[in-house]
Amino acid sequence: MSDFEYGICPYDKSHRILLFRMPKHLIKCEKNYCGPPLQTCKYNATHRVQDMEKHLKECDYYLRSIENQAVQIALRSRIPPKQEDGHDVDTPF
Ligand SMILES: [Zn+2]
Ligand SMILES: [Zn+2]
């Protein structure tokens, strides 16, 4: 029974929806929804929350994306500057 993952519909906590059906479900459910307006998470369109700042602290997708950025920056800064090759003969002495 672990073939599919379920998520909880942000518009109605009693809706348990297969994750791959969630985008379609949200479109339908959004129309019937009449509670406080929810914001769509930039990192996963199926995340709908009232408090985005609070959500980002626990959003897997956001956390992964900043982790990836940190890795990218680390990789980039590991490339050594050219001067360290010892080819620079113009040292001012
Ligand atoms: Zn729903
Ligand atoms: Zn999110």
Side-chain angles (χ1 to χ4, degrees), residues 41-44 47 52 55-56 59-62:
C41 176
K42 262 191 272 180
Y43 301 90
N44 185 324
H47 296 167
M52 188 54 69
H55 168 73
L56 288 183
C59 175
D60 267 3
Y61 287 78
Y62 169 66

Side-chain angles (χ1 to χ4, degrees), residues 9-12 15 17 25-26 29:
C9 171
Y11 294 111
D12 188 332
H15 295 168
I17 311 299
H25 175 87
L26 288 179
C29 219

Side-chain angles (χ1 to χ4, degrees), residues 18-37:
L18 286 169
L19 282 184
F20 72 88
R21 291 207 183 127
M22 188 67 91
K24 262 191 167 175
H25 175 87
L26 288 179
I27 293 166
K28 271 203 289 179
C29 219
E30 196 174 19
K31 283 178 191 157
N32 305 322
Y33 177 73
C34 46

